[in-house]
Amino acid sequence: MRGTLVARRRRELWLGIVVLVVLAALPFGVGNAYLRGLIVLTLLYAGLSQAWNILGGYCGQISLGHALYFGIGAYTSTLLFTRLGISPLLGMFAGGGLAGFAAFLVGLPCFRLSGHYYAIATLVIGMMAALLAANWDFINAAQGITIPFHGESWANLAFRTAILPFHYVMLAYAALIWFVAWLIEGSRWGFFWRAVKDDVAAARSLGVSIYPSKLAAAAISGAATGIGGALYAQYIGFIDPDSTLDLSLSVLIALPAVVGGIGTLWGPLLGAAVLIPVQQLSVAWLGSAAGGIDLMVYGALIMALALARPEGLVSFFHIRASRGATGHG
């Protein structure tokens, strides 16, 4: 049994390396700048959704407030750069650390709740944070912050005329979070989290510390999301509460994992490869008339998958999915 598990994990790692090489070569076959930008966003959301999957998929704690950690990462990195001159390359780790700490703090009271009450609590906290940010003069409130451009620089993650560098930045981010998830799957904590997701009472009877397990998953998930927020800020060059803390962003972060296959290594990437192009292309083709259409498409996709493929897109490829989709307790 152990030999089979080790062999399977090695195959997953080698497959991950192959996918990484293919994605690294992908932009050379795409000449259109808009499509290259679309790939960059897809990679970003693949990483963000994998970060959410660590908490929502493996540990089974469905969060609807991950935009809070995304926004903390974006604002921390941006403020450190614009006010103190600290490189975003360093600022993104500060933003990730602060976001992870925030996720830990949110979990302290919220993990005392069970089932859907935890999801509702994260939703309310995220909405309160967005309202606070929109009225907080220290972060320029609703006006947002424009990130100054001082020339092309890897140290500042500043590339205004070339998309290719950001392709590799986002690919590195997505690959890193995927590798973290791969490590978690085979680790002691990974087995703890899956036990918590499947049956809290049984996990407790086996000696699993439920509360600390959830807090650890939340902190890792929040930190990974915060790093993604910092990268997004550098890519866009402007942040405000609507673009970094909105409820719709929390939904968009979670949906790729849900559609692709919650609690799996490949679900977030597959889901992002479908959902992000659909969202971006619908807005590009229909302009302002597209308001809400992308959400309608998401709803239709989710309903169709729920009926045809409850385990998500990964089931089309016979990829193993973790047992159970949501947690209890």
Side-chain angles (χ1 to χ4, degrees):
M1 177 66 73
R2 180 175 176 80
T4 302
L5 177 62
V6 171
R8 177 183 59 75
R9 284 182 51 75
R10 285 177 178 170
R11 287 196 299 270
E12 288 174 341
L13 184 58
W14 278 111
L15 178 59
I17 293 172
V18 171
V19 171
L20 177 63
V21 172
V22 171
L23 291 176
L26 184 59
F28 296 104
V30 178
N32 185 282
Y34 175 78
L35 292 180
R36 282 190 171 188
L38 187 58
I39 295 171
V40 168
L41 284 178
T42 300
L43 291 172
L44 171 64
Y45 277 98
L48 289 171
S49 193
Q50 189 68 272
W52 179 91
N53 193 43
I54 290 172
L55 178 63
Y58 292 116
C59 198
Q61 308 304 302
I62 304 302
S63 167
L64 297 177
H66 261 54
L68 170 60
Y69 315 132
F70 182 90
I72 288 174
Y75 272 100
T76 300
S77 173
T78 299
L79 290 172
L80 287 175
F81 180 54
T82 57
R83 299 187 181 181
L84 299 178
I86 296 176
S87 165
L89 199 60
L90 299 176
M92 68 176 180
F93 293 108
L98 192 58
F101 183 62
F104 177 84
L105 292 179
V106 168
L108 285 175
C110 291
F111 285 138
R112 301 293 183 185
L113 304 172
S114 60
H116 56 277
Y117 292 108
Y118 170 75
I120 294 172
T122 60
L123 172 65
V124 172
I125 291 172
M127 293 174 66
M128 290 172 59
L131 182 62
L132 173 64
N135 294 276
W136 193 8
D137 291 335
F138 179 74
I139 61 172
N140 217 25
Q143 295 180 17
I145 304 173
T146 299
I147 299 174
F149 181 66
H150 303 302
E152 304 280 325
S153 169
W154 277 97
N156 293 332
L157 296 177
F159 312 102
R160 290 292 184 267
T161 59
I163 297 177
L164 188 61
F166 270 117
H167 176 92
Y168 291 110
V169 169
M170 299 306 184
L171 178 58
Y173 170 67
L176 174 62
I177 307 306
W178 183 93
F179 184 64
V180 169
W182 180 83
L183 290 175
I184 287 171
E185 271 205 350
S187 71
R188 187 165 177 252
W189 279 108
F191 288 107
F192 282 177
W193 294 346
R194 286 194 290 273
V196 170
K197 177 180 68 172
D198 290 341
D199 192 321
V200 171
R204 186 178 287 112
S205 69
L206 294 173
V208 175
S209 300
I210 307 299
Y211 192 58
S213 294
K214 292 179 180 180
L215 289 174
I220 294 172
S221 179
T225 304
I227 292 174
L231 294 177
Y232 175 82
Q234 290 303 121
Y235 178 62
I236 298 299
F238 173 82
I239 59 171
D240 64 358
D242 285 341
S243 63
T244 60
L245 289 161
D246 192 71
L247 170 61
S248 62
L249 178 60
S250 290
V251 176
L252 189 57
I253 288 173
L255 274 178
V258 175
V259 171
I262 192 169
T264 68
L265 277 174
W266 298 105
L269 177 60
L270 290 173
V274 172
L275 290 182
I276 302 308
V278 166
Q279 184 227 19
Q280 294 294 316
L281 290 173
S282 66
V283 173
W285 289 342
L286 301 176
S288 60
I293 290 181
D294 55 329
L295 295 178
M296 293 172 62
V297 173
Y298 295 157
L301 282 172
I302 291 171
M303 287 189 292
L305 281 169
L307 293 173
R309 296 281 180 166
E311 292 185 351
L313 295 174
V314 293
S315 62
F316 284 104
F317 301 93
H318 305 289
I319 297 174
R320 178 187 59 83
S322 296
R323 187 162 54 87
T326 60
H328 309 280

